[in-house]
Amino acid sequence: MILLLDLCFREGSLSFPEFVSPIRRIVEKSGGEAETIHYSDLDSLPTGISGIILCGTALKDNSYLEHPDRFCWLERSRIPVLGICAGMQVLARLLGGEVVRAPEIGMTEVKVTQKDVVLGDERIFPAYELHNFGVTLPPGCTELAGSGCCIQAFLSRERPWWGVMFHPEVRNEWVVERFVGVSLSGPAD
Amino acid sequence: MKLGVLCSGGKDSLYACGCAMREEEVACLISIRSANPESYMFHTPNVHLVPLQAEAAGLPLVEVETAGEKENELEDLERALECAVERYGIEGVVTGAILSVYQATRVQKICNSLDLWCFNPLWHTDQEKYMESLFTEGFRVIIAGVFAAPFDETWLGREITREVIDELRAISGKWRVSLTGEGGEFETLVLDAPFFRKRIRIYEAAPEYANHNGVIRVTRAELEDK
């Protein structure tokens, strides 16, 4: 089971079908089952979860950054986590990085600089961006990819946590598919 | 949150409007009339019927005309959004974008510059389920324009029923046509929606068709009781 964490400004918001539902469809298409929960409704990791995806939010929605305490439970888990855009910002903060202004809207070129099981080989690919803020590289993390604007992907060296700044649900579904593959190949928490 | 819905008169924008009404307050529809039939952003064959749809929905309308020149039309969109902010106090914009990065990016940039929220409730939706929802939720939608093979003139004016969805599915399996017409293969016109107080009745319409390109131009339509 893959847990999809909805980071939008409230549960059942108008942003849900835009930022959570497409990820759910990719997970299910990849052979995974998905459970969706709003971040404000969770204090600990449910049982039977093999991987967690922190979904993105609307460009103007940064409310998740005002509630860092709502994500502390993530630090106790050892299962794979993928943070997308807003989710990457949450992971970066938990790992000691900072959220910094770095606006990108639309297609850009992402350069993979470090071969990785989720991001694949070193190369350049086009990706869809929708963010006003990026992150600094947290301590203990490796930058996997970047654009001219900001870090596009990192991986923690201490735990299987990936952050991607681009939105893989647009034209790069393979990122979610590979993450689901990694998650389902390991033990559930 | 008060929202303005970008409305072309077609199924996607009005379905998105219904989604927005369930979660937030829709304060107005916003329509851009383009003089350029090649406009990537705004051209639809029956955009002149949006005022009738707004009346049917009991919503005010902000309407702006554009010459439809590629980047100037974005300034016209910005002007329309500013007008909606001023008149109706909207805090965000809703679009019916499904897959078009071109359109979504441009609307997102304008909303960002105006400090407005941007919602796209159909973004990367399951196209099968969406088309089915249109039908089951009580939208009455006709094909108002066709712009690709294998659509012929018999498609013009056809109502989207379950049988038509089946035909579209078969076509999309064989041809490079999306089930929703998102690639511009066909355009639609909404005659009724669950949130319409009245429905649109077409009295006169003129089909024009040649070589897999055609539109049905509605020349007289009125609202009638449901």
Side-chain angles (χ1 to χ4, degrees), chain A residues 9-10 12-15 17-19 22 25 58-61 105-107 128 130 132 169-171 173, chain B residues 1 3 19-20 23-24 91 94 101 104-105 108-109 112 115-121 123-126:
Chain A
F9 59 100
R10 67 170 159 76
S13 75
L14 191 53
S15 287
E18 184 174 351
F19 294 99
R25 271 189 292 283
L59 198 52
K60 202 171 149 53
D61 185 356
I105 303 173
M107 298 303 292
Y128 182 67
L130 190 65
N132 277 320
E169 67 272 25
V170 180
R171 301 186 183 180
E173 295 187 4
Chain B
M1 192 187 304
L3 300 175
C19 296
E23 301 299 337
E24 305 290 345
E91 301 158 85
V94 180
V101 166
T105 297
Q108 290 279 6
K109 282 182 176 173
N112 196 43
D115 197 26
L116 291 170
W117 289 74
C118 185
F119 295 103
N120 303 281
W123 191 236
H124 284 246
T125 193
D126 181 316

Side-chain angles (χ1 to χ4, degrees), chain B residues 55-59 192-199 224-226:
Chain B
E55 189 184 341
L59 290 169
D192 196 6
F195 53 87
F196 278 14
R197 298 167 187 174
K198 295 190 170 192
R199 65 182 167 223
E224 65 177 17
D225 290 335
K226 292 170 79 167

